Amino acid sequence: MSDHLHEQTLPALAGALKMDPAQFQNFLSQNCPDVATGVRALNTALPRFQGLVGGIEGNVGRFQLASGIPTSHTATTTRTLWFLVPGAASVAAGVLGLAFRETNRPQPRPRESSLAVP
């Protein structure tokens, strides 16, 4: 990719602008300094991206398996709601149980006196 950019694309762009390569580099540095910096840094950054591309290519089979999931046609938000709605219902049931518990019911008292050994 970098070779194609430096050997074909940039010279063709310079030619289309009727500039020689040195003029084009000067033009790029003055008018688009971020692009010029990126073009210079491309050879150092490209190996990192090639590693990522290799990882993605190595997992293509897994991605294809994931596309065969029976719910792949449903929206992601739908699947999120499948977890949130039951979770919210469970929390609401717990809150209601705490709010309406019987507070007047007598609490059991320990019977230590009956456990005493004579």
Side-chain angles (χ1 to χ4, degrees):
M1 181 176 147
S2 177
D3 295 336
H4 186 271
L5 178 72
H6 288 289
E7 294 171 5
Q8 295 178 6
T9 306
L10 292 177
L13 188 55
L17 294 173
K18 299 185 181 359
M19 298 179 183
D20 63 42
Q23 289 175 322
F24 180 70
Q25 287 295 343
N26 187 28
F27 169 80
L28 202 60
S29 295
Q30 288 178 354
N31 296 314
C32 307
D34 292 338
V35 173
T37 303
V39 168
R40 284 192 299 272
L42 187 61
N43 286 331
T44 57
L46 196 58
R48 182 182 312 163
F49 290 108
Q50 288 172 335
L52 293 172
V53 169
I56 290 171
E57 287 174 346
N59 287 309
V60 167
R62 292 183 183 160
F63 291 139
Q64 290 171 346
L65 287 174
S67 70
I69 294 173
T71 59
S72 63
H73 64 281
T74 59
T76 305
T77 52
T78 303
R79 286 179 286 214
T80 302
L81 290 175
W82 286 353
F83 290 100
L84 289 179
V85 170
S90 298
V91 169
V95 167
L96 288 173
L98 288 173
F100 294 109
R101 68 180 175 192
E102 294 180 27
T103 56
N104 295 337
R105 184 172 46 156
Q107 299 295 320
R109 298 186 188 265
R111 296 182 287 164
E112 290 89 11
S113 61
S114 65
L115 297 176
V117 178

